[in-house]
Amino acid sequence: MEPVTSSARGQQPGDVIKGDLRDLRVQLGMLNRHVGARLGLREVDLDCLDLVSRHGPLSPGALARQAGLHPATMTGILDRLERGGWLVRERDPADRRSVVLRVPPDRGREIAGLFTAANAAMDELFAGCTEDELQVIAGFLHRAVEAVRTAATGL
């Protein structure tokens, strides 16, 4: 993997990385808009489904917190996703008075199928990295997510 040097862009390395992260955010947003359009879902719907798929089952309140959405907004999103069969509400086995959210496996596979090409491209990119490089990248990304989460919480 050949790095892009800061001198190639006339910028400091940190500025190059921040610019590339912004470009990545735009490209991921475009990918999500295309996937959402194919499925008839909004970007926020995909975000919520992704959070439930990766961290669920989740309570509606926990999902609202993770997505950074007001609970009343979340109710409308959940109603829409449930009507479309993208999400199910089930009684929480630990507390029958509570509800948890789950993405039905067939709908999860349907969404995942539209990300196959992007995931294959990422796998190919990873194949060109050493284990140590991947560990550095993973650590950086984790810290970057936390830094942005902290900044967003402060707004």
Side-chain angles (χ1 to χ4, degrees):
M1 176 169 61
E2 191 167 317
V4 175
T5 63
S6 57
S7 61
R9 295 190 187 176
Q11 298 174 321
Q12 295 296 314
D15 292 333
V16 172
I17 292 168
K18 286 186 276 187
D20 286 346
L21 286 172
R22 289 173 73 183
D23 289 341
L24 178 60
R25 182 196 58 78
V26 169
Q27 293 304 313
L28 288 170
M30 287 177 21
L31 176 61
N32 284 340
R33 281 190 294 282
H34 288 297
V35 168
R38 290 280 290 281
L39 299 172
L41 295 171
R42 300 174 187 182
E43 284 183 74
V44 70
D45 297 342
L46 284 174
D47 290 342
C48 290
L49 291 170
D50 184 47
L51 288 167
V52 172
S53 291
R54 290 186 301 123
H55 305 290
L58 292 173
S59 71
L63 177 58
R65 284 188 297 280
Q66 286 196 25
L69 297 169
H70 190 276
T73 302
M74 183 57 62
T75 299
I77 293 168
L78 296 179
D79 288 346
R80 183 172 60 246
L81 291 172
E82 188 175 38
R83 275 193 309 273
W86 295 102
L87 193 71
V88 292
R89 297 177 193 184
E90 300 174 334
R91 291 282 171 213
D92 185 345
D95 179 358
R96 300 287 299 157
R97 296 168 295 164
S98 299
V99 171
V100 293
L101 308 167
R102 183 180 57 76
V103 176
D106 60 324
R107 296 314 288 248
R109 285 189 297 276
E110 184 177 352
I111 295 168
L114 294 173
F115 288 97
T116 300
N119 285 325
M122 294 304 294
D123 290 341
E124 188 175 319
L125 181 63
F126 299 150
C129 297
T130 67
E131 187 66 31
D132 287 343
E133 288 171 329
L134 291 173
Q135 290 297 325
V136 169
I137 293 166
F140 168 78
L141 289 173
H142 179 75
R143 291 188 307 276
V145 166
E146 291 306 314
V148 173
R149 180 178 290 128
T150 299
T153 302
L155 292 178

